[in-house]
Amino acid sequence: MKEKNYQLGAELRHELHRHPELSCEEIWTKNRLAEFLRAHTKSLEIVDRGRWLYAHYRGNGQGKKIALRADFDALPIEETIELPYGSECSGVSHKCGHDGHAATLAAFALELEERGTDNDVYLVFQHAEEIGAGAVECAVLMDEEQIDEVYAYHNAPGIPQGSVLVGDGNYSCASMGMSLYFEGKTSHASAPGVGRNPAPAISRIVLALPQLYRPEDYTGLVLATVIQIDLGETAFGTSAGSGVLRLTIRGQHEKEMYTLRDRINTMANALCAEYGLSFRVEYCDVFPENVNERGCTEKVRAAARRLGLQLLEREFPEAGSEDFGYFTKRVPGSYFDVGAGEDVTPLHTVTYDFPDEIIPTAAAVFAELTELK
């Protein structure tokens, strides 16, 4: 990557970091990215799709159609570390590196403008990855434009800076949030038997979870994590009459995650019948399984080798989720990681900050994948 393009990308990243926005609220971010692309490119068509946008580089009509995707939403985490470009939005910060992903793709747009390629290239800037709501909207572009291949990367703390981590098949797990609502009947705390307290039902579900996801019952990883229990009111004279149990469930294979979901719901309904409770469930933050197509992953491997980058293989799927799977449900693609450094603190922690130094590395892989001249 040319030094000037890297510098422009790093400066843009710092701007995005100063102005973080939560999922589905990224108005400033999307507009700033569009402004940057319009200011620094001439041949790219910038298409505003409401909550997201893409830039289209038109090849010679003889090549493939390749899409590259970057997310740009932030997290509800307070910025507590001292940075010259620290977050100016209370309670919101870029602690997953989406500012860096978007800046990388924008800087790559400048390389694409200057070097060109025979392929049609679509640069997709996506909202709302953190809640699993963005890619499902953006993925329609794969069908609309008959995209041949799609790629994206994530920065990865804990592995050598500039290394490339790849894997075939299921690269990251499907997941979803479950809110299980129980409604009973309050009573005086001195006579709990008169009421219908959801506490026993909720407690039994929590204690039974390890038996519901025994490894021998599934072909891949499944997991249920208790997120919150909200039961009754702060009134010591009154027995609880309602409660909610919130879980995050995940699975290496989407269908097995749904099997776990159904088992939890079956148990909840049975316990409600036993204790005389009513029950309903709500779902949120639904992420698909993220599956890499082997041929596309081989292209990422080949790109890393040509660039002389350290190449690492993921032995097991990432337990964390990534909504890029909505793209690969429609077209072949591959999702890979670029090492952020072994001494970089983990994602979603208050001390994390995306390292600008990996922008050229990720952009160079994109250049190989899109066959820049």
Side-chain angles (χ1 to χ4, degrees):
M1 171 175 278
K2 292 184 177 179
E3 181 64 24
K4 67 179 181 64
N5 292 341
Y6 165 60
Q7 290 299 331
L8 286 169
E11 290 168 10
L12 174 64
R13 206 276 291 186
H14 298 170
E15 283 188 70
L16 298 178
H17 195 95
R18 285 193 197 95
H19 301 92
E21 293 175 302
L22 297 176
S23 300
C24 296
E25 299 176 9
E26 310 99 319
I27 297 171
W28 183 93
T29 303
K30 190 203 77 173
N31 290 338
R32 180 67 191 102
L33 288 166
E35 290 172 1
F36 179 90
L37 294 169
R38 291 191 179 101
H40 296 289
T41 66
K42 295 180 180 178
S43 63
L44 272 63
E45 177 189 9
I46 315 302
V47 182
D48 189 329
R49 296 295 294 264
R51 294 198 286 192
W52 58 286
L53 74 152
Y54 71 90
H56 178 206
Y57 176 87
R58 196 174 302 277
N60 62 11
Q62 305 301 312
K64 295 176 293 185
K65 292 185 175 182
I66 301 173
L68 306 175
R69 171 277 216 167
D71 39 24
F72 55 64
D73 53 333
L75 287 162
I77 298 175
E78 188 73 43
E79 181 104 274
T80 58
I81 57 176
E82 291 294 328
L83 295 170
Y85 47 83
S87 170
E88 297 176 2
C89 302
S90 178
V92 184
S93 59
H94 274 290
K95 295 300 174 183
C96 197
H98 295 187
D99 53 344
H101 301 162
T104 298
L105 196 58
F108 173 75
L110 311 189
E111 294 281 302
L112 178 60
E113 167 92 3
E114 294 175 6
R115 294 169 58 183
T117 176
D118 293 335
N119 297 310
D120 270 39
V121 181
Y122 296 79
L123 309 179
V124 181
F125 295 86
Q126 180 206 306
H127 64 300
E129 188 281 328
E130 294 290 356
I131 61 172
V136 69
E137 295 182 24
C138 302
V140 298
L141 184 68
M142 304 299 101
D143 295 331
E144 292 172 355
E145 299 296 336
Q146 298 182 311
I147 301 297
D148 295 306
E149 300 169 6
V150 61
Y151 299 92
Y153 93 98
H154 205 292
N155 73 96
I159 64 174
Q161 188 176 94
S163 61
V164 175
L165 178 64
V166 299
D168 297 315
N170 287 58
Y171 196 75
S172 46
C173 289
S175 69
M176 65 191 310
M178 296 182 69
S179 294
L180 292 79
Y181 293 90
F182 302 86
E183 195 66 38
K185 179 182 176 182
T186 60
S187 68
H188 196 284
S190 65
V194 176
R196 293 191 294 276
N197 191 328
I202 292 175
S203 299
R204 286 175 64 180
I205 292 172
V206 171
L207 292 174
L209 286 176
Q211 284 69 50
L212 291 182
Y213 60 84
R214 291 175 300 186
E216 59 266 29
D217 293 340
Y218 303 91
T219 62
L221 169 72
V222 293
L223 180 67
T225 304
V226 176
I227 302 301
Q228 183 190 40
I229 298 173
D230 190 358
L231 187 67
E233 304 292 339
T234 308
F236 290 95
T238 305
S239 176
S242 63
V244 58
L245 168 63
R246 291 188 170 88
L247 306 171
T248 297
I249 63 171
R250 63 187 69 245
Q252 178 178 343
H253 304 293
E254 214 168 292
K255 64 180 181 180
E256 295 190 344
M257 177 187 73
Y258 286 117
T259 297
L260 176 60
R261 176 203 65 183
D262 293 343
R263 289 182 177 182
I264 293 170
N265 284 336
T266 297
M267 171 175 278
N269 277 301
L271 288 170
C272 285
E274 179 180 340
Y275 289 107
L277 307 170
S278 62
F279 170 71
R280 65 183 176 88
V281 62
E282 293 179 355
Y283 305 103
C284 67
D285 294 9
V286 180
F287 289 81
E289 60 187 3
N290 187 18
V291 181
N292 284 346
E293 194 270 336
R294 183 175 179 82
C296 291
T297 304
E298 282 295 339
K299 292 181 180 180
V300 178
R301 291 186 179 100
R305 292 189 185 107
R306 285 193 298 270
L307 293 166
L309 302 175
Q310 182 179 1
L311 184 62
L312 306 173
E313 295 283 338
R314 184 181 289 287
E315 295 183 17
F316 303 102
E318 170 64 43
S321 300
E322 164 56 55
D323 71 355
F324 185 73
Y326 285 118
F327 289 95
T328 53
K329 283 180 179 293
R330 294 173 182 259
V331 298
S334 187
Y335 187 83
F336 60 96
D337 288 290
V338 174
E342 295 172 284
D343 58 347
V344 174
T345 55
L347 303 173
H348 292 224
T349 61
V350 294
T351 51
Y352 167 84
D353 184 44
F354 179 94
D356 293 333
E357 294 81 3
I358 68 172
I359 290 175
T361 305
V365 177
F366 285 160
E368 292 289 325
L369 293 170
T370 52
E371 303 173 21
L372 293 196
K373 296 176 181 177

